[in-house]
Amino acid sequence: MARIDETRPFVPVKIAVLTVSDTRTLEDDKSGTTLSERLLAAGHILAERTIVTDDAEKIRDRVLSWSKDPQIDVIITTGGTGFTGRDVTPEALEPIFEKRMDGFSEVFHRISYDKIGTSTIQSRATGGVVNATFVFVLPGSPGACRDAWDNILQYQLDYRHMPCNFVEIMPRLDEHLTRGGKG
């Protein structure tokens, strides 16, 4: 069974939050605020927070830049996962994933189904690894951000979560670069 091992120390993770929107500002960005408040309340570090427009190149550039920053361990994006013409976040990011995290999307949709039923299929939430940095791509609604944080991310980003969590494997995400004497 999943549990928190209180004998292990809590390890704060440095998280960047990227809101993808043509209309939001930091003052009225409810989804980015939801994520920021939750990660801070959990004891993590809000390393960066910004907004970019629904432009694939801008989204990709920001995530690539953050993924190369040693002060950022995890990137969470919110917005641009639907099916309208301006929803391009998965198209911007999935091509740069070194590894896809299919399980994240599957678990997110399972949780979402319990809340909103079949409407969950209108989201293309996804996740992966870019430059040894975990990237989670969430819908732009505060409810979806709450569901993802409260039911998945708060546990997987907690070193005490057992039987396993993302924090304990973070140091090994780039080991493929050093195998075979390449590093």
Side-chain angles (χ1 to χ4, degrees):
M1 283 305 278
R3 62 183 171 81
I4 297 293
D5 181 349
E6 297 292 346
T7 66
R8 296 178 88 174
F10 178 79
V11 177
V13 176
K14 298 170 286 200
I15 304 172
V17 175
L18 177 65
T19 298
V20 177
S21 175
D22 288 332
T23 60
R24 297 284 176 233
T25 65
L26 287 176
E27 292 72 36
D28 67 0
D29 172 23
K30 293 178 183 174
S31 296
T33 298
T34 296
L35 290 166
S36 298
E37 289 174 349
R38 278 175 155 63
L39 72 89
L40 289 168
H44 297 295
I45 299 161
L46 180 60
E48 294 276 349
R49 180 178 173 199
T50 196
I51 297 175
V52 298
T53 58
D54 291 280
D55 177 279
E57 188 173 334
K58 289 178 182 177
I59 298 164
R60 188 178 312 111
D61 288 350
R62 174 55 62 186
V63 169
L64 281 171
S65 173
W66 280 350
S67 72
K68 295 173 185 172
D69 184 336
Q71 296 305 309
I72 296 174
D73 301 313
V74 173
I75 300 166
I76 305 173
T77 74
T78 174
T81 65
F83 288 96
T84 68
R86 297 291 292 160
D87 291 325
V88 296
T89 308
E91 287 81 6
L93 299 180
E94 286 180 336
I96 63 171
F97 286 170
E98 295 154 10
K99 296 190 183 223
R100 283 181 53 106
M101 193 183 309
D102 295 325
F104 174 76
S105 178
E106 293 164 6
V107 172
F108 174 82
H109 284 294
R110 173 64 180 93
I111 291 163
S112 181
Y113 180 82
D114 289 343
K115 305 271 176 108
I116 62 171
T118 60
S119 293
T120 189
I121 66 172
Q122 293 189 33
S123 166
R124 297 178 299 139
T126 188
V129 177
V130 177
N131 292 319
T133 303
F134 286 113
V135 178
F136 301 97
V137 180
L138 306 180
S141 75
C145 291
R146 276 191 301 275
D147 290 345
W149 181 267
D150 294 352
N151 297 289
I152 305 170
L153 297 177
Q154 79 166 332
Y155 299 110
Q156 284 300 302
L157 297 177
D158 189 332
Y159 178 70
R160 304 166 302 165
H161 184 263
M162 302 303 286
C164 57
N165 60 76
F166 288 138
V167 179
E168 62 193 356
I169 64 172
M170 282 180 183
R172 297 180 48 212
L173 289 178
D174 63 357
E175 68 185 5
H176 67 285
L177 300 175
T178 59
R179 285 191 188 143
K182 294 181 183 177

